[in-house]
């Protein structure tokens, strides 16, 4: 493997190479395919134990990865708040809420609602940080809220209580992740994200394991080749490997491009769920997808265009 093809985390670079685009595409594909993969695993493993295995295996891989790079060290106390925020809110809350919700709603719909985070970040910015939105962003937020209403309308109109609870959990998961996004932007970092990542995943895996043991006991899992393959895909690949890619590529491209690229995750999650799980593309989902994606693009791209115009 040549130097141009390796993942570089230690040095920022303004270039967007074909190699970076390829890595970014792989990351989006793996994240998207992980939604139907998790749905299948939930047939054999409870949400709590699945989340424990996911982050436990990812933490082990990241400890090995950072150790081999000579970057494994204890975090400084100034970074404890961001470790807690990412580990407890983004990893535990977001993942567990999403997994429980997927026992009640389709995987494609779950991916779509869970990735409405830019919408909630915009609302947090207005309500908590007291910052105003551009007119285009305001329209985008309204379109996004309308898209969410359209997506969950079949559950509301049919008063499907389980599905409604699942939808609320997914929106709660997106809100948890949004809080972390705002915190990440405000936090004065002392250690690099890669150095902190193993500790964040360990912080999520250990409480999950304790809660799962107390509430459910030792799991009785019917192990088979398919299940093991899916767990390897979800943990070491879609969580650990993709996290490393996101850090590497994210340092070399602007944040707007990175955010817009991740919009492909719910789309891939939706269509891969249709292909692998036989889920249906309903009219509500179709209209909701268009409204939500247009909303997220407007929220993410609008500020970048305004910044270029001012320059």
């Amino acid at each position: 493997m040549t130097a141009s093809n390796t993942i570089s985390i230690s040095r920022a670079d303004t270039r967007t190479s074909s190699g970076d685009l390829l890595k970014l595409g792989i990351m989006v594909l793996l994240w998207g395919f992980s939604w139907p993969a998790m749905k299948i695993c939930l047939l054999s493993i409870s949400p709590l134990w699945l989340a424990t295995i996911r982050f436990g295996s990812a933490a082990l891989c990241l400890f090995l990865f950072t150790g081999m790079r000579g970057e494994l060290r204890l975090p400084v106390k100034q970074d404890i708040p961001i470790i807690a925020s990412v580990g407890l809110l983004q990893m535990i809350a977001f993942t567990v809420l999403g997994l429980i919700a997927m026992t009640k709603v389709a995987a494609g719909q779950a991916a779509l609602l869970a990735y409405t985070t830019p919408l909630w970040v915009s609302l947090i910015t207005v309500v908590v940080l007291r910052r105003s939105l551009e007119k285009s962003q305001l329209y985008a937020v309204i379109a996004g809220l309308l898209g969410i209403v359209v997506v969950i309308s079949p559950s509301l109109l049919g008063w499907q209580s389980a599905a409604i609870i699942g939808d609320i959990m997914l929106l709660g998961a997106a809100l948890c992740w949004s809080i972390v996004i705002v915190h990440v932007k405000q936090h004065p970092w002392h250690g690099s994200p890669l150095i902190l990542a193993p500790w964040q995943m360990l912080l999520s895996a250990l409480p999950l394991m304790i809660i799962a043991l107390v509430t459910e006991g030792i799991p009785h899992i019917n192990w088979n080749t398919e299940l093991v393959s899916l767990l390897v895909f979800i943990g070491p690949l879609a969580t650990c490997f993709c996290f490393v890619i996101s850090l590497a590529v994210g340092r070399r491209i602007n944040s707007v491009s990175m955010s817009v690229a991740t919009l492909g995750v719910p789309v891939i999650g939706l269509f891969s769920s249709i292909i692998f799980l036989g889920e249906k593309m309903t009219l509500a989902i179709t209209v909701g997808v268009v409204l939500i994606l247009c909303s997220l693009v407007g929220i993410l791209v609008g500020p970048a265009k305004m910044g270029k115009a001012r320059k």
Side-chain angles (χ1 to χ4, degrees), residues 149-187:
V149 172
V150 171
V151 169
I152 67 177
S153 61
S155 302
L156 294 173
L157 293 175
W159 197 246
Q160 303 169 20
S161 58
I164 293 173
I165 292 172
D167 292 335
I168 293 173
M169 284 183 168
L170 289 164
L171 296 177
L175 180 60
C176 288
W177 190 1
S178 301
I179 294 171
V180 175
I181 291 173
V182 174
H183 187 192
V184 165
K185 291 182 179 179
Q186 302 295 321
H187 178 73

Side-chain angles (χ1 to χ4, degrees), residues 16-223:
T16 303
S17 65
S18 57
D20 283 341
L21 293 176
L22 176 62
K23 293 166 190 171
L24 189 60
I26 292 173
M27 180 193 76
V28 172
L29 281 172
L30 293 178
W31 275 350
F33 285 133
S34 70
W35 287 89
M38 289 187 291
K39 181 78 171 183
I40 296 172
C41 287
L42 286 171
L43 298 175
S44 304
I45 308 175
S46 71
L48 282 175
W49 278 113
L50 179 55
T52 300
I53 294 171
R54 175 186 178 183
F55 290 117
S57 61
L60 177 61
C61 291
L62 275 173
F63 274 115
L64 291 173
F65 180 75
T66 52
M68 291 171 62
R69 290 172 57 89
E71 297 181 354
L72 178 59
R73 58 183 64 96
L74 290 172
V76 298
K77 64 179 182 179
Q78 292 90 340
D79 283 328
I80 297 299
I82 199 64
I83 292 175
S85 178
V86 174
L88 300 178
L89 283 178
Q90 182 178 345
M91 294 182 179
I92 291 182
F94 176 85
T95 302
V96 171
L97 286 172
L99 290 174
I100 295 175
M102 274 199 291
T103 64
K104 306 176 186 297
V105 302
Q109 180 172 326
L112 179 62
L113 293 178
Y115 271 80
T116 56
T117 46
L119 172 62
W120 306 115
V121 168
S122 298
L123 293 176
I124 292 172
T125 300
V126 173
V127 176
V128 179
L129 301 182
R130 303 294 182 182
R131 298 175 185 171
S132 59
L133 295 177
E134 301 289 345
K135 186 177 293 186
S136 61
Q137 288 179 292
L138 179 60
Y139 292 151
V141 168
I142 294 173
L145 293 173
L146 181 59
I148 290 173
V149 172
V150 171
V151 169
I152 67 177
S153 61
S155 302
L156 294 173
L157 293 175
W159 197 246
Q160 303 169 20
S161 58
I164 293 173
I165 292 172
D167 292 335
I168 293 173
M169 284 183 168
L170 289 164
L171 296 177
L175 180 60
C176 288
W177 190 1
S178 301
I179 294 171
V180 175
I181 291 173
V182 174
H183 187 192
V184 165
K185 291 182 179 179
Q186 302 295 321
H187 178 73
W189 292 77
H190 290 77
S192 71
L194 179 63
I195 291 175
L196 301 184
W199 303 104
Q200 290 164 341
M201 293 195 182
L202 182 64
L203 177 62
S204 63
L206 288 179
L208 282 169
M209 183 178 66
I210 294 171
I211 295 171
L213 282 171
V214 171
T215 59
E216 301 177 5
I218 298 175
H220 300 286
I221 302 172
N222 183 22
W223 296 101

